[in-house]
Amino acid sequence: MQRKHDYRLIKSHRPYTVESLGKLLDVHPATIRAWIKKAGLSCAMVSDSRPIILNGAKAKTWMKARQEAKKRPCAPDEMYCVKCKEPRQIAKGSFRIKPSNSRKVIALGECVICGLTLRNFNTRSNLANLKAQYASKASND
Ligand SMILES: [Zn+2]
């Protein structure tokens, strides 16, 4: 299931029906109706039944706020754990660097809670920063 939708496709000065917004964001009309009913997406009822008209600007700001609320920013010494679905510190001594290509590296570490290998995709020019961020922290504890 897709969790992110490109809200930038929504035109602020254009009204949408449930079907047209669904088509634009590539979601089923039932999903749009569920957002209206349960998640607080505002709409204007034209008649008692159908069509439901959505204000483009309101839909866009609602969608943006919803996606911003889902973000889990990491602190400098944390990596995002996809199993815990939270930013986590890495286990002591688990930090290592894996070269990806001539310019990119992958910083690896293990989640302190579940032990999953966490990844931070970065550049070689940032190598000294990465070591300072993760390796020193893990060895000081
Ligand atoms: Zn974890």
Side-chain angles (χ1 to χ4, degrees), residues 91-133:
K92 185 180 169 183
S94 69
F95 176 77
R96 58 200 184 276
I97 295 282
K98 186 180 166 192
S100 181
N101 63 28
S102 60
R103 291 183 304 155
K104 306 256 174 154
V105 292
I106 305 168
L108 302 162
E110 282 169 16
C111 174
V112 285
I113 307 295
C114 68
L116 189 79
T117 302
L118 309 182
R119 288 166 175 83
N120 179 316
F121 298 87
N122 227 304
T123 57
R124 272 184 200 278
S125 59
N126 217 3
L127 215 65
N129 276 344
L130 284 173
K131 283 175 182 167
Q133 276 176 293

Side-chain angles (χ1 to χ4, degrees), residues 80-86 88 111-116 118:
Y80 187 77
C81 179
V82 292
K83 197 171 175 185
C84 302
K85 293 182 172 57
E86 287 290 329
R88 296 275 189 222
C111 174
V112 285
I113 307 295
C114 68
L116 189 79
L118 309 182

Side-chain angles (χ1 to χ4, degrees), residues 10-130:
I10 304 169
K11 306 270 186 269
S12 297
H13 299 289
R14 194 172 290 176
Y16 291 93
T17 62
V18 167
E19 287 75 19
S20 68
L21 189 64
K23 198 171 183 180
L24 184 74
L25 299 173
D26 198 23
V27 294
H28 197 273
T31 306
I32 305 286
R33 287 192 199 101
W35 287 346
I36 293 166
K37 212 170 183 181
K38 295 171 188 164
L41 174 62
S42 69
C43 64
M45 295 280 194
V46 171
S47 68
D48 287 342
S49 55
R50 302 279 146 76
I52 295 169
I53 301 296
L54 297 141
N55 178 317
K58 282 181 184 173
K60 196 171 185 173
T61 48
W62 177 84
M63 195 115 219
K64 189 177 179 182
R66 186 173 186 257
Q67 287 185 183
E68 290 295 320
K70 281 183 183 174
K71 285 188 175 177
R72 296 282 174 270
C74 295
D77 61 338
E78 291 175 332
M79 291 186 201
Y80 187 77
C81 179
V82 292
K83 197 171 175 185
C84 302
K85 293 182 172 57
E86 287 290 329
R88 296 275 189 222
Q89 294 206 328
I90 59 169
K92 185 180 169 183
S94 69
F95 176 77
R96 58 200 184 276
I97 295 282
K98 186 180 166 192
S100 181
N101 63 28
S102 60
R103 291 183 304 155
K104 306 256 174 154
V105 292
I106 305 168
L108 302 162
E110 282 169 16
C111 174
V112 285
I113 307 295
C114 68
L116 189 79
T117 302
L118 309 182
R119 288 166 175 83
N120 179 316
F121 298 87
N122 227 304
T123 57
R124 272 184 200 278
S125 59
N126 217 3
L127 215 65
N129 276 344
L130 284 173

